[in-house]
Amino acid sequence: MLFDKFTRETLEPLSTAHINQVVCFLTALYLPFDYDFKINVAYTKGIKGYYLNFETFKKQHSSGKKYYLPKKTEWGMEPNENDKWQEFNTVEQYVSKTIEEKQAPLCWQNHHGLYSQFFIVWW
C-alpha cells in the first residue's frame, strides 16, 4: 500500500524514504485434517485448528476425550477457558443433525488437558 501511486502522491510532502511497510494478519486459519504441506511462516501464528468430515471425527474419538460445541459468541475464547465438557454421544447426535442441514459446527476437544479445535464439515 505504501508504494501505491495514489499513496505516494498523497504522502508526497512527507519523506517516505525511512518508512517501513509491514502487514499484520489477524486471522484464524483452519487447515485440512492431517495437512502435510509447507505453509508460509507468516501464516503459522494464525493456525487455530483444522477441519474434518463427520466420519473422520467419529473415527478419531477415543475414551478420555470430551467435547464442547461453542456458540459463535464464544469462538473468540480459547478451549481451555471452557468448563462445560460433554460426552461423545451427546455431541455426535447434535453434529449429525447439523451435518444433515449442511452446517459445519466448531468443536473444542479436551483430551486429558490437551485442547484442540476443529470444524466438522459435511463434505
Side-chain angles (χ1 to χ4, degrees):
M1 269 179 38
L2 183 60
F3 303 108
D4 180 72
K5 179 183 174 188
F6 178 77
T7 306
R8 280 185 283 145
E9 289 172 1
T10 303
L11 298 177
E12 190 174 334
L14 303 174
S15 173
T16 58
H18 301 292
I19 297 176
N20 290 327
Q21 177 173 290
V22 294
V23 178
C24 177
F25 291 106
L26 299 176
T27 186
L29 293 174
Y30 290 84
L31 302 175
F33 182 70
D34 285 341
Y35 185 79
D36 194 25
F37 297 95
K38 287 187 177 186
I39 187 163
N40 187 310
V41 172
Y43 303 121
T44 56
K45 287 185 180 179
I47 298 172
K48 296 289 273 181
Y50 53 92
Y51 61 88
L52 45 69
N53 64 31
F54 189 42
E55 292 306 313
T56 304
F57 169 66
K58 292 190 289 189
K59 289 177 189 172
Q60 293 300 312
H61 173 68
S62 62
S63 64
K65 291 182 179 179
K66 303 280 185 183
Y67 304 92
Y68 181 66
L69 303 171
K71 301 174 203 154
K72 283 191 179 184
T73 56
E74 298 171 310
W75 285 11
M77 294 173 48
E78 291 298 321
N80 63 339
E81 298 174 30
N82 178 49
D83 61 357
K84 304 178 228 168
W85 298 99
Q86 298 173 323
E87 297 294 329
F88 176 76
N89 293 341
T90 304
V91 171
E92 181 186 27
Q93 291 173 3
Y94 178 80
V95 171
S96 178
K97 291 176 188 174
T98 62
I99 294 300
E100 288 175 14
E101 297 168 358
K102 295 193 184 310
Q103 296 179 14
L106 177 62
C107 183
W108 292 345
Q109 178 181 277
N110 178 353
H111 188 221
H112 303 296
L114 297 174
Y115 301 94
S116 60
Q117 54 184 307
F118 46 88
F119 282 94
I120 305 169
V121 298
W122 67 89
W123 63 87

